[in-house]
Amino acid sequence: MVLSARAYAKINLGLLIHGKRNDGYHEIETVFHHIDLYDEIRLESQDKVSIETDSDDIPSDESNLCWKAVTLLNQMHGTKHGVRVKLKKNIPAGAGLGGGSADAATVLRLLPRLWNISVSDSDLADCAARLGSDVSFFLGATSAHGRGRGDVLEPFRLPLSYAIVVCFPGIHVSTPWAYGQIMKFEEREAGKLRERLQHALTDLRSRCDVVHNDFEEPVFRQYPKLGKLKHSLLEAGAVCASLSGSGSSVYGLFAENTSAMQAALQLRSNRISTFYTPAGFQIPSETVLSVP
Ligand code: C5P
């Protein structure tokens, strides 16, 4: 059997780091939101596990998160199934767009069908959380309020009436490094980000602080080019702009699709990888295809 599906990327609409936990992770709060950028995943039945990819930026051995997803599901189910994974990468790696996590979650979602086994939603969610803090989000939600280490999710519908332009300047930021730079934690009321965001959406221009990302200060200090990129997005007409995750992607929200497209073209001409998502974009509800 052959199955194929799209693995969509995300941005973080606000990212607050509330403190360090006893397990070494950080307690965070964010709103995950899908964008119109995806990797293409194709799974084929075979006896062993193998990964093929068209990207030089990611490994194709056991260290690939998709391979770890296969191993984990086999372990959980007491099986030794194989699979041939083909990854066509469009989401840049180390960009704060969740590419590796989206791919792994999509593999997890497809495997039960490929192997003809039944796996409960809670077992799948457990596997996802063990693979990485933001993998759970990619199991299905289109937008979600994330808490805990990013794995405790409350999905909700976010009809974002702003077009999104995401810029990836080719810098790879290490997430553990970025967390390691956060020394102080601001006293803030936790758990209100979703509510604050929904409230601010009618007048985002004057409420840009709602998409504040705590990683910006240390990441912009280390990579000044990223702070300049945020400024360029604002100059190009973005209503507000922010770093996604721990970077290095920076996104801008635009009131009009046309101004967003113009900004994307302008930034592209400066040789910056730029991805455009129209206002109101929602990922197709069923993106899994069965190829006979
Ligand atoms: O969970 P994930 O593998 O994506 O996390 C990568 C690293 O980022 C962790 O090993 C940890 O150093 C850091 N991290 C953190 N707090 C979080 C998420 C990640 O400190 N909430």
Side-chain angles (χ1 to χ4, degrees):
M1 193 200 286
V2 178
L3 293 175
S4 70
R6 294 174 175 179
Y8 280 86
K10 58 83 182 165
I11 56 168
N12 298 82
L13 295 167
L15 198 160
L16 307 173
I17 304 168
H18 292 308
K20 190 154 185 190
R21 308 176 358 164
N22 292 333
D23 61 5
Y25 283 88
H26 291 75
E27 193 67 21
I28 68 157
E29 184 174 4
T30 186
V31 168
F32 295 108
H33 187 67
H34 276 299
I35 55 170
D36 191 8
L37 169 67
Y38 56 84
D39 290 340
E40 290 163 65
I41 313 251
R42 189 180 155 96
L43 301 190
E44 227 177 294
S45 309
Q46 69 172 19
D47 292 340
K48 55 179 187 134
V49 181
S50 67
I51 297 190
E52 290 156 42
T53 171
D54 60 348
S55 165
D56 295 334
D57 292 335
I58 58 163
S60 53
D61 60 8
E62 293 91 335
S63 63
N64 186 302
L65 209 53
C66 291
W67 194 306
K68 292 182 182 171
V70 176
T71 306
L72 203 54
L73 200 64
N74 261 327
Q75 274 170 5
M76 180 174 271
H77 221 258
T79 49
K80 285 188 173 169
H81 291 294
V83 59
R84 179 183 190 192
V85 182
K86 278 190 175 179
L87 292 176
K88 186 175 179 321
K89 290 295 293 177
N90 300 308
I91 309 170
L97 302 176
S101 301
D103 296 346
T106 304
V107 167
L108 271 186
R109 220 155 44 82
L110 295 180
L111 282 180
R113 208 153 121 186
L114 189 83
W115 292 346
N116 197 21
I117 58 173
S118 109
V119 182
S120 68
D121 286 352
S122 72
D123 279 353
L124 222 50
D126 186 42
C127 273
R130 283 162 66 182
L131 286 169
S133 301
D134 61 2
V135 179
S136 310
F137 167 67
F138 296 100
L139 280 180
T142 56
S143 307
H145 185 193
R147 300 192 64 186
R149 57 186 177 94
D151 58 332
V152 180
L153 298 174
E154 208 180 296
F156 68 107
R157 222 180 86 72
L158 179 65
L160 194 67
S161 59
Y162 295 88
I164 306 166
V165 174
V166 176
C167 299
F168 172 64
I171 293 168
H172 299 269
V173 178
S174 149
T175 302
W177 171 83
Y179 273 108
Q181 302 306 302
I182 310 286
M183 303 298 176
K184 294 192 307 239
F185 304 100
E186 265 186 56
E187 286 283 323
R188 283 184 291 221
E189 193 182 4
K192 297 282 182 215
L193 182 62
R194 169 185 169 176
E195 209 176 293
R196 285 180 56 229
L197 179 69
Q198 284 176 314
H199 224 78
L201 282 180
T202 46
D203 182 20
L204 209 45
R205 197 178 289 278
S206 63
R207 309 279 297 277
C208 265
D209 58 313
V210 81
V211 294
H212 171 84
N213 181 333
D214 280 337
F215 283 123
E216 279 193 1
E217 198 200 313
V219 172
F220 287 180
R221 203 184 321 122
Q222 181 75 9
Y223 305 101
K225 193 176 167 184
L226 302 183
K228 287 185 190 140
L229 197 53
K230 173 172 170 174
H231 193 68
S232 305
L233 280 161
L234 291 169
E235 276 197 328
V239 166
C240 54
S242 179
L243 189 73
S244 182
S246 54
S248 65
S249 292
V250 180
Y251 67 85
L253 302 177
F254 289 78
E256 310 282 345
N257 284 342
T258 46
S259 55
M261 278 190 278
Q262 269 166 15
L265 285 175
Q266 188 186 320
L267 286 152
R268 231 171 258 162
S269 68
N270 294 336
R271 300 209 182 162
I272 292 167
S273 299
T274 304
F275 309 101
Y276 163 76
T277 299
F281 171 75
Q282 296 280 322
I283 56 169
S285 55
E286 186 46 90
T287 63
V288 181
L289 298 175
S290 187
V291 183

